[in-house]
Amino acid sequence: MVSAHVDAAQVLVASNRGPVSYAVGEDGALTAKRGGGGLVSGLSSIGQRADSLWVCAALGDGDREAVRRGAVEPGVRMLDIDPATHAAAYNGVANSVLWFVHHMLYQTPLEPSFGPEFRTQWAAYEAYNEAFARALADGAADGAAVLVQDYHLALVPGLLRELRPDLRIGHFSHTPWAPVDYFRMLPDDVAEQLLRGMLGADRLGFLTGRWADAFTETCVRYLGGTSGTRIGVHGLGADADFLRERSRRDDVEERLVALRERVGEGRKVIVRVDRTELSKNIVRGLHAYRLLLAEHPEWRERVVHVAFAYPSRQDLAVYRDYTAEVSRVAAEINSAFGTEGWTPVVLHVEDDFARSLAAYRLADVALVNPIRDGMNLVAKEVPVVSDEGCALVLSREAGAYEELGEDALGVNPYDVAGTAAALRSALAMPVEERAERTKRLAAAGTALPPGRWFADQLAALSASAPADT
Ligand code: F6P
């Protein structure tokens, strides 16, 4: 039986960012912080097995110190890769090239431009992938299952297959996959290396059929096919039990009271919660809100846009500039329309999970308008937590749209006027309709909770491995 077989094998996970990070305090003591979010909770189910291993990179000084002191928690192996190599692989290739390709973020008249600097970074990316492959090969028992995560580690399956042909290797992409003509911007040898690296896996997982099909088409175009590697779709859902319990705790209640006060009595609330990530399209969202206020003055004083935009990838200048632009546009709207007793945009840029949950509960409208997104869990979480039902304005370019599209108000993320119109319809949606749609959205968004998402992949990997047939 598949499940018995899965239970018998050791399981390893590999990802750039691990489940825990460390900081050194002023007194020299190390403190550990566990990561949040669906990915960590889904993958964390491996922690229940005594022999499991999560291999990740040491990302900062605290992590490196924890490695040096041998203080990393059991079940986690942090790789202390040379900082310059890691920076070139992570910032130079993974974040500035692969992320840009899959999310279609380039302003193509000037970028990308693949010269000698890129080649140096690519060599670092290879070295960083090799370090992961070696660590996994060292840590894996005979016949173990290894689940490699994301574009950071695209070469690992092929490298690991060479070192350890006995392993079952899966790879999961949490991002979209680029349309083949966009992917073709990459230098041909790099593109082929990436594809062959991934095809070293027994099985590749994607969040939606759309991304899986784009990958297959890319392989057909470059290599004539997927060389027998199985492709599967696993649409990660929100963790309903966790969210319902967590969003009713005291710290969330306190923040809810504060937010209500900030918004003001009787006003509707449009909420967005994102990392300040170029693909999230926060600036066009603000432009759409401004258009709504400009063209429909009846909404002035009657609505507040609560926008939480948490820092992300601040090592990259383009992210810092984007973060500044978000603040600039929000301030511009407030100075153009704000009045004594009404602040049209309430923007927060410090990460506070309890406050995000409070905003989810309060939302009349959730705005999720990414340019392109592998899934987008916020779209799935808000309906679960919402107190009184919430209309969802959702980009058709988010993976979540495949599952939620029927009950959301779909938007083309580039169409600012269209987004403004959708916000207006969402604000005007009758309460009963909103509540009904929210119920259906919550059911669809929690259909595959993180624990099952992970278990299904393991079972499918086991079923598709040659050793099993
Ligand atoms: O959301 C897609 C994703 O690839 C996640 O799987 C991953 O956790 C994140 O993006 C990477 O973000 P960061 O660069 O902050 O680690």
Side-chain angles (χ1 to χ4, degrees):
M1 237 178 80
V2 166
S3 61
H5 196 106
V6 167
D7 285 343
Q10 184 206 17
V11 180
L12 295 90
V13 166
S15 63
N16 174 64
R17 191 178 291 280
V20 62
S21 63
Y22 294 90
V24 188
E26 275 173 21
D27 59 354
L30 277 175
T31 47
K33 190 171 163 219
R34 289 201 65 80
L39 173 63
V40 170
S41 64
L43 296 176
S44 289
S45 19
I46 70 158
Q48 292 153 11
R49 310 165 52 102
D51 60 350
S52 67
L53 184 63
W54 191 324
V55 178
C56 58
L59 297 181
D61 294 344
D63 286 357
R64 290 180 195 283
E65 189 53 30
V67 174
R68 253 172 249 135
R69 293 187 199 176
V72 176
E73 68 178 47
V76 176
R77 171 140 186 238
M78 273 188 175
L79 305 181
D80 190 355
I81 296 166
D82 163 59
T85 304
H86 183 267
Y90 174 66
N91 284 321
V93 176
N95 289 344
S96 299
V97 176
L98 303 180
W99 183 271
F100 272 56
V101 167
H102 290 312
H103 293 85
M104 301 169 67
L105 295 174
Y106 285 120
Q107 309 210 3
T108 52
L110 294 176
E111 49 173 29
S113 176
F114 297 114
E117 192 192 350
F118 171 73
R119 288 294 163 175
T120 308
Q121 292 168 331
W122 182 251
Y125 182 82
E126 291 175 318
Y128 156 89
N129 273 258
E130 279 157 17
F132 269 82
R134 276 197 306 274
L136 291 163
D138 275 1
D142 274 355
V146 182
L147 292 168
V148 181
Q149 309 299 311
D150 261 328
Y151 52 96
H152 313 92
L153 302 178
L155 306 182
V156 166
L159 294 166
L160 186 57
R161 169 77 58 222
E162 293 270 306
L163 295 170
R164 291 288 304 272
D166 60 301
L167 301 178
R168 290 148 190 217
I169 306 172
H171 181 282
F172 195 88
S173 292
H174 296 266
T175 57
W177 189 269
V180 62
D181 285 341
Y182 205 88
F183 190 80
R184 277 156 66 96
M185 280 195 284
L186 290 169
D188 288 350
D189 60 320
V190 166
E192 282 196 24
Q193 212 180 325
L194 286 167
L195 296 176
R196 288 192 199 284
M198 285 175 70
L199 291 173
D202 296 295
R203 193 166 184 280
L204 297 171
F206 292 89
L207 285 165
T208 69
R210 183 178 173 193
W211 314 141
D213 290 349
F215 175 80
T216 303
E217 202 191 328
T218 308
C219 290
V220 168
R221 191 83 79 87
Y222 276 90
L223 309 172
T226 52
S227 320
T229 301
R230 316 278 162 85
I231 315 275
V233 174
H234 299 271
L236 178 63
D239 188 344
D241 295 340
F242 165 74
L243 286 168
R244 290 205 176 100
E245 188 277 324
R246 182 68 188 84
S247 63
R248 263 62 196 172
R249 286 204 212 148
D250 289 350
D251 57 346
V252 177
E253 299 288 350
E254 274 165 32
R255 284 158 177 81
L256 190 57
V257 171
L259 265 180
R260 278 211 182 95
E261 204 167 298
R262 185 86 176 85
V263 164
E265 195 63 33
R267 292 191 174 119
K268 297 244 178 187
V269 183
I270 300 173
V271 166
R272 77 170 309 135
V273 176
D274 294 290
R275 292 187 290 128
T276 309
E277 160 54 54
L278 308 181
S279 59
K280 300 294 181 186
N281 209 21
I282 304 169
V283 172
R284 284 196 195 83
L286 288 167
H287 287 318
Y289 178 63
R290 171 162 52 194
L291 198 59
L292 170 81
L293 297 179
E295 294 191 342
H296 296 280
E298 69 277 14
W299 277 108
R300 295 182 199 165
E301 307 262 1
R302 290 178 50 218
V303 60
V304 171
H305 185 14
V306 170
F308 295 164
Y310 303 139
S312 171
R313 304 185 188 165
Q314 293 292 299
D315 287 346
L316 297 178
V318 63
Y319 279 71
R320 294 197 296 274
D321 293 348
Y322 189 75
T323 305
E325 181 65 0
V326 168
S327 294
R328 195 189 64 74
V329 178
E332 210 174 76
I333 296 171
N334 284 340
S335 79
F337 296 98
T339 61
E340 178 96 7
W342 173 56
T343 307
V345 182
V346 171
L347 174 70
H348 282 295
V349 295
E350 322 77 45
D351 193 354
D352 180 344
F353 184 55
R355 192 178 51 203
S356 299
L357 291 174
Y360 285 4
R361 286 182 55 181
L362 190 62
D364 294 289
V365 176
L367 174 58
V368 180
N369 65 326
I371 289 170
R372 214 169 146 83
D373 211 332
M375 175 54 69
N376 197 297
L377 280 181
V378 173
K380 294 183 165 185
E381 289 167 354
V382 178
V384 177
V385 170
S386 163
D387 277 351
E388 287 171 22
C390 169
L392 175 64
V393 174
L394 180 59
S395 165
R396 64 189 190 196
E397 305 306 319
Y401 191 77
E402 274 189 26
E403 293 158 60
L404 308 180
E406 266 180 39
D407 283 298
L409 302 178
V411 289
N412 166 353
Y414 302 95
D415 183 354
V416 170
T419 306
L423 287 175
R424 191 164 160 245
S425 309
L427 286 167
M429 190 182 285
V431 195
E432 311 72 47
E433 181 184 343
R434 216 172 81 169
E436 282 306 312
R437 284 187 189 232
T438 303
K439 259 192 237 156
R440 291 192 294 265
L441 288 167
T446 55
L448 199 55
R452 249 200 66 202
W453 169 83
F454 183 75
D456 284 359
Q457 284 181 67
L458 263 185
L461 179 60
S462 170
S464 69
D468 220 38
T469 52

